[in-house]
Amino acid sequence: QVHLVESGGGLVQAGGSLRLSCAASGLAGSRYAMGWFRQAAGKERDIVAGIPWLGDYTYYADAVKGRFFIFRDNSKNTIDLQMTNLKPGDTAVYYCAARDSLVVSFRSSEYNFWGQGTQVTVAS
């Protein structure tokens, strides 16, 4: 059973930074692509960043390119999202997700496991 737990959310002023962390368990012997998604109130859940099992490339949504950075450490089963120059529009619940595939997908429906989410609020 795969279990994902996010941490690191909170309240930050615009222009500030936060680092989200996702601790994964139950992945031993499997190879998963990982993604960070976010869902603002009243909106759909959209991908923010993704990284394949090998970590040989990264994907970022246009809205966060150059500001957010995704990292993974397969030896520790952690996936971090470093967020810089945060904007009020980044306010959302952020979710970590695992996909039973070597490659990233943009679609939330193609991810098999989800964390419980962590709230990020950016004040103007």
Side-chain angles (χ1 to χ4, degrees):
Q1 181 72 21
V2 175
H3 192 51
L4 305 175
V5 179
E6 302 98 335
S7 61
L11 173 65
V12 65
Q13 294 293 315
S17 299
L18 281 175
R19 190 176 182 102
L20 306 182
S21 186
C22 175
S25 60
L27 292 178
S30 301
R31 299 183 177 185
Y32 285 86
M34 301 298 298
W36 280 97
F37 288 75
R38 68 185 182 186
Q39 187 168 19
K43 297 188 177 181
E44 295 185 351
R45 189 174 298 187
D46 294 323
I47 191 166
V48 173
I51 187 166
W53 168 255
L54 290 177
D56 52 341
Y57 67 88
T58 52
Y59 167 81
Y60 298 99
D62 287 343
V64 306
K65 279 181 182 177
R67 301 189 297 121
F68 289 15
F69 304 94
I70 188 170
F71 305 94
R72 72 183 296 165
D73 184 335
N74 290 341
S75 66
K76 298 179 180 179
N77 288 327
T78 58
I79 306 90
D80 288 2
L81 183 69
Q82 178 67 48
M83 304 186 294
T84 66
N85 190 20
L86 283 159
K87 304 175 180 181
D90 295 319
T91 295
V93 178
Y94 284 71
Y95 297 90
C96 174
R99 180 176 189 236
D100 190 4
S101 170
L102 295 178
V103 300
V104 172
S105 171
F106 307 152
R107 300 179 181 89
S108 60
S109 60
E110 294 186 1
Y111 285 76
N112 306 93
F113 301 99
W114 293 84
Q116 81 286 353
T118 186
Q119 176 71 46
V120 172
T121 302
V122 184
S124 58

